Amino acid sequence: MSEGEGKPPVVVVSEETSVTSGTAVQEKLIAAARVFSNLLKPTYGPRGLDKMLYKTNGSTAVTNDGAKIVAELMVKHPAAKMMVAMGNTQEEACGDGVTTTMILCGALLEEANNLLAKGLHPLTLVDGYRTALEVAAEQMDCDAVEVDDERLLGVAETALTGKGAEAAIDVFAPMVRDALTAIEGGVERPGAEHVAMFKLGSGGLRDSHLIRGVAIRRRVLLDTLPNDLVNAPTVVVSGDIKIRKMTRNAEIQITSAEQLDGFVEAETERKRQLARALIESGASLILAGGEIDRDVLHDLADAGILAVPELDESELQNAAAATGATLIDSVLDIDAGDLGVAGTVHWERRQATDQVEDVIRLDDCESPGAVTLAIGGAGETATEEIIRGLHDALRATSLALENGQLLPGGGASHARIAQAVRSASESESGRARLAMDAFARALETVTATLADNAGKDSLDAVLEMRAAARADGAPVGIRADGEIAEVPGVWHPRSVIEEGLESAVETAMSMLRIDQVISARGD
Ligand SMILES: Nc1ncnc2c1ncn2[C@@H]1O[C@H](COP(=O)(O)OP(=O)(O)OP(=O)(O)O)[C@@H](O)[C@H]1O
Ligand SMILES: [Mg+2]
């Protein structure tokens, strides 16, 4: 960077630094955004394909999930980083619709590029996009419908479509809905955080099922411990169930046999106290976060109590929520109110495998505050992808339950918004009208991409959808086979579409406002 001729240059930044100004800036950013959204396009929609991600540490993932792809890509370009941040925001807010948001942002920038090249001021574009967003919100008010039981299933199905879980969608979609509707236990807004995932590690996808409680993989320490409990009063302890070792390094001198006996007897008595407290609480299932003393365990087994040690933090939390138990610190001050109830408890020893762990299930809890989706199938990579799909579906379905408004999918909502923006632009006299038209075209990329991936001609599809949106009948979208018709049962929570659109516009606008790129790396 230098100034003035004939004078020695004023060097502000180092030599490698490159400075880009004017429309070249946007071109640069837009090119990066284009690469990024083109990367995701083939994964989009019911006919979207998957990506295989292979990391330097050798781990692989096969996924269709926009959020996962975005999270794993080691993007370097600042424009791509802005898109990654946008994808993460959408994932955190809604869990679904990440790919839509990326594609929309790419398209908004692409359209902006054409107008900038013709000399439109970036801020005029920003104004036009902002007006268009207002029109979009009005159109969504018109198109939104209330959630009901059938549509709720549609929301889960739509989120699962195109993902690995689609292979058994008739099992998974009801499972997702039932999981969320089963959650009670004082939970105000049932969500994905109340649903645990448990990999069965065997069987097929169709063996997947809902557990109204939790499943834990741990060794059951004694064969004599009881099995198949019904309506089991449950105690959940966060720490160990054993007597504390002395923390001080003291040496005790024992001079007579009686003294040794007394010492041992005192220890035994303290253990008995622990066992007695547990037995007297009336519990028949005890779950602990730490170790359980062998002698205490034997006493409990004799009293017909199943005790399971060394649960991790989330297992303890889930078990307590599912049974309605209070997570207590110490066994000695159990209160009757701390106990929960597990509807059924069953543990299974897997003789056939060399696994040293048994599966303990707490099921059929009365009003569980946490439930579990048990996922069948042995392949680790495939199961991971199923879990990602289920997570999206849980998030989308819980949003639908929470805010109650739904919008039709399959590109229908975006096509209708595009139409509304286009007709609103007609009454706009200034140059912002150009930006609004560009916005409408950008929204149609959703349609075009869905059509493309379904093997249809995208231009024809866009035109046909435009005509349908203008006719103002029932919403028409692109079905999985590419046909343009009503898409019954394809629903998104309004917030997935609305927030996605908002953040795509925000990100695009913030890129358009940039007037110089100063790169220390020289790129
Ligand atoms: N059965 C269906 N028929 C037609 N379109 C569908 C169907 N199911 C889903 N879609 C459409 O597919 C698109 C969603 O695709 P996809 O799930 O790949 O992307 P996303 O939800 O934006 O991102 P991600 O799920 O990766 O976070 C939406 O436009 C949705 O309406
Ligand atoms: Mg999705």
Side-chain angles (χ1 to χ4, degrees), residues 44-45 64-66 95-100 158-161 163 392 492 496:
Y44 190 54
N64 180 283
D65 190 61
D96 193 21
V98 176
T99 314
T100 315
T158 306
L160 289 168
T161 305
K163 305 266 191 282
D392 279 15
H492 295 281
V496 169

Side-chain angles (χ1 to χ4, degrees), residues 76-268:
K76 280 202 180 133
H77 196 284
K81 277 192 181 157
M82 284 169 87
M83 290 186 78
V84 169
M86 174 186 76
N88 290 336
T89 313
Q90 176 73 8
E91 173 70 7
E92 270 162 38
C94 305
D96 193 21
V98 176
T99 314
T100 315
T101 312
M102 294 285 178
I103 291 177
L104 277 175
C105 185
L108 285 165
L109 286 166
E110 185 88 56
E111 290 293 338
N113 195 23
N114 298 336
L115 291 177
L116 292 173
K118 287 185 191 142
L120 196 73
H121 192 276
L123 292 185
T124 315
L125 254 168
V126 168
D127 286 343
Y129 278 4
R130 191 166 291 133
T131 319
L133 208 50
E134 284 162 19
V135 179
E138 283 164 25
Q139 183 62 32
M140 284 187 251
D141 287 340
C142 289
D143 289 345
V145 296
E146 290 299 311
V147 67
D148 64 19
D149 213 39
E150 197 190 319
R151 287 181 188 146
L152 197 63
L153 193 65
V155 172
E157 275 173 355
T158 306
L160 289 168
T161 305
K163 305 266 191 282
E166 193 182 351
I169 201 164
D170 53 320
V171 178
F172 286 125
M175 239 168 89
V176 165
R177 181 196 53 187
D178 295 347
L180 291 169
T181 44
I183 293 166
E184 287 172 36
V187 177
E188 218 170 275
R189 291 195 203 133
E193 63 275 25
H194 304 109
V195 183
M197 302 282 176
F198 184 78
K199 297 177 198 163
L200 288 171
S202 62
L205 285 185
R206 298 191 163 274
D207 296 317
S208 308
H209 55 270
L210 171 67
I211 301 173
R212 281 165 210 272
V214 289
I216 298 156
R217 220 180 278 276
R218 282 293 174 290
R219 184 82 184 151
V220 172
L221 293 173
L222 299 171
D223 282 337
T224 52
L225 285 166
N227 200 349
D228 291 320
L229 310 173
V230 179
N231 289 332
T234 306
V235 168
V236 187
V237 190
S238 58
D240 296 330
I241 304 182
K242 61 178 192 187
I243 53 171
R244 284 213 184 88
K245 285 262 173 312
M246 267 197 258
T247 46
R248 230 171 283 157
N249 240 349
E251 208 168 274
I252 299 170
Q253 216 175 35
I254 291 173
T255 47
S256 69
E258 287 81 48
Q259 260 182 345
L260 182 62
D261 283 349
F263 191 72
V264 174
E265 182 55 34
E267 263 201 350
T268 319

Side-chain angles (χ1 to χ4, degrees), residues 321-340:
T323 57
T326 319
L327 195 54
I328 54 170
D329 290 331
S330 158
V331 171
L332 291 175
D333 37 48
I334 305 178
D335 193 72
D338 294 334
L339 269 72

Side-chain angles (χ1 to χ4, degrees), residues 160-466:
L160 289 168
T161 305
K163 305 266 191 282
E166 193 182 351
I169 201 164
D170 53 320
V171 178
F172 286 125
M175 239 168 89
V176 165
R177 181 196 53 187
D178 295 347
L180 291 169
T181 44
I183 293 166
E184 287 172 36
V187 177
E188 218 170 275
R189 291 195 203 133
E193 63 275 25
H194 304 109
V195 183
M197 302 282 176
F198 184 78
K199 297 177 198 163
L200 288 171
S202 62
L205 285 185
R206 298 191 163 274
D207 296 317
S208 308
H209 55 270
L210 171 67
I211 301 173
R212 281 165 210 272
V214 289
I216 298 156
R217 220 180 278 276
R218 282 293 174 290
R219 184 82 184 151
V220 172
L221 293 173
L222 299 171
D223 282 337
T224 52
L225 285 166
N227 200 349
D228 291 320
L229 310 173
V230 179
N231 289 332
T234 306
V235 168
V236 187
V237 190
S238 58
D240 296 330
I241 304 182
K242 61 178 192 187
I243 53 171
R244 284 213 184 88
K245 285 262 173 312
M246 267 197 258
T247 46
R248 230 171 283 157
N249 240 349
E251 208 168 274
I252 299 170
Q253 216 175 35
I254 291 173
T255 47
S256 69
E258 287 81 48
Q259 260 182 345
L260 182 62
D261 283 349
F263 191 72
V264 174
E265 182 55 34
E267 263 201 350
T268 319
E269 178 50 32
R270 282 167 64 203
K271 288 181 186 173
R272 243 183 251 132
Q273 254 179 14
L274 284 180
R276 214 180 303 129
L278 287 168
I279 295 165
E280 281 169 6
S281 74
S284 51
L285 171 67
I286 290 157
L287 303 171
E291 290 171 35
I292 301 180
D293 184 274
R294 271 320 264 198
D295 296 329
V296 176
L297 193 69
H298 279 281
D299 284 354
L300 294 176
D302 289 345
I305 299 174
L306 173 62
V308 186
E310 308 205 17
L311 271 65
D312 64 34
E313 187 64 31
S314 66
E315 287 170 332
L316 286 174
Q317 300 278 5
N318 288 339
T323 57
T326 319
L327 195 54
I328 54 170
D329 290 331
S330 158
V331 171
L332 291 175
D333 37 48
I334 305 178
D335 193 72
D338 294 334
L339 269 72
V341 179
T344 55
V345 183
H346 174 73
W347 57 269
E348 210 170 291
R349 187 139 289 178
R350 299 242 180 110
Q351 243 87 25
T353 65
D354 55 356
Q355 277 176 347
V356 285
E357 286 173 330
D358 310 315
V359 175
I360 306 150
R361 289 161 183 273
L362 281 61
D363 203 346
D364 304 314
C365 295
E366 184 90 5
S367 56
V371 295
T372 303
L373 298 182
I375 320 293
E380 181 71 19
T381 318
T383 313
E384 286 294 334
E385 174 66 354
I386 304 269
I387 290 179
R388 276 192 288 275
L390 286 172
H391 192 259
D392 279 15
L394 282 168
R395 293 289 305 277
T397 313
S398 64
L399 277 176
L401 273 174
E402 200 178 312
N403 48 35
Q405 289 197 332
L406 304 181
L407 287 170
S413 294
H414 291 100
R416 285 167 78 89
I417 296 171
Q419 176 56 28
V421 172
R422 198 169 281 126
S423 59
S425 78
E426 281 162 20
S427 54
E428 183 78 39
S429 52
R431 285 182 167 205
R433 173 178 182 168
L434 295 173
M436 289 173 76
D437 285 340
F439 184 98
R441 279 196 300 279
L443 285 186
E444 284 169 347
T445 319
V446 169
T447 321
T449 312
L450 285 172
D452 240 352
N453 290 350
K456 289 284 153 110
D457 187 85
S458 56
L459 267 182
D460 288 345
V462 167
L463 290 175
E464 211 175 312
M465 290 278 280
R466 250 186 224 181

